[in-house]
Amino acid sequence: MSNLEKTLSIIKPDAVERNLDQEIKNIFLNNDFKIIKEKKIQLEKSDAEKFYKVHETKPFYNDLCAYLSSGPIVVMILEKENAVLSNRELMGATNPKEAKEGTIRKKYGVSIDKNSVHGSDSPENAKIEIEFFFKD
Ligand code: UDP
Ligand code: MG
């Protein structure tokens, strides 16, 4: 049965800084994702704190929010059959050292914090994250 989904993807500051945004967008397009909307923005730290609120009790929360707001990011709505899971597979593991060959994080990730991309982890969170960045 068909299950066309949308998910939120972010190209994080480490990748935008290395001018990898077009290359990463091409990977999505070559893997049958449609880019429905996209924008390049820089977050205030307070916005990053809202976005990553689920992680507020984690030891890495402050550094994570400082990092996500440290430079421009590219935020995209991606659409595909089973987009959430498909994007998580294409991204690879959170730690680039553990990411499989051929994944975005394996290819471009620098470290567990500078891991180049974000992707929603469930259809429910995809809706919340899309609404966070694209309320209209
Ligand atoms: N992160 C980190 N240190 C850790 C775990 C996570 O800096 O020990 C960062 C990393 O950039 C990750 C983000 O926090 O992408 C959110 O963590 P999550 O567990 O949700 O990983 P993801 O869903 O991005 O794979
Ligand atoms: Mg996550």
Side-chain angles (χ1 to χ4, degrees):
M1 215 175 72
S2 146
N3 182 39
L4 193 63
E5 284 179 343
K6 292 183 176 66
T7 190
L8 187 91
S9 169
I10 303 178
I11 304 177
K12 291 183 175 184
D14 67 275
V16 175
E17 182 180 85
R18 286 176 286 152
N19 294 311
L20 294 169
D21 37 322
Q22 192 56 57
E23 215 168 302
I24 292 174
K25 278 193 259 176
N26 287 340
I27 294 177
F28 290 125
L29 295 172
N30 290 336
N31 282 275
D32 303 321
F33 287 92
K34 272 192 199 156
I35 300 172
I36 302 288
K37 286 188 185 174
E38 64 170 288
K39 59 182 180 183
K40 193 180 215 176
I41 54 171
Q42 181 161 356
L43 295 180
E44 298 293 340
K45 188 165 182 239
S46 57
D47 294 321
E49 285 165 352
K50 274 181 219 152
F51 180 72
Y52 273 134
K53 194 158 174 56
V54 290
H55 292 305
E56 72 183 329
T57 61
K58 309 273 172 65
F60 57 83
Y61 179 63
N62 185 59
D63 286 348
L64 173 61
C65 297
Y67 165 64
L68 192 70
S69 57
S70 67
I73 58 175
V74 176
V75 187
M76 295 171 288
I77 301 175
L78 302 180
E79 187 181 71
K80 186 183 171 179
E81 284 290 307
N82 304 310
V84 172
L85 185 60
S86 181
N87 180 39
R88 294 292 302 192
E89 286 173 357
L90 187 58
M91 287 164 57
T94 306
N95 187 347
K97 286 187 189 131
E98 292 163 9
K100 285 186 192 143
E101 213 55 59
T103 63
I104 295 172
R105 283 168 163 173
K106 173 73 178 182
K107 194 161 184 204
Y108 302 112
V110 178
S111 55
I112 192 162
D113 47 327
K114 296 184 175 168
N115 59 8
S116 303
V117 282
H118 166 84
S120 309
D121 63 4
S122 67
E124 295 70 33
N125 284 334
K127 287 198 182 71
I128 293 167
E129 293 180 357
I130 287 169
E131 175 73 12
F132 183 88
F133 283 107
F134 300 95
K135 316 183 177 62
D136 47 53

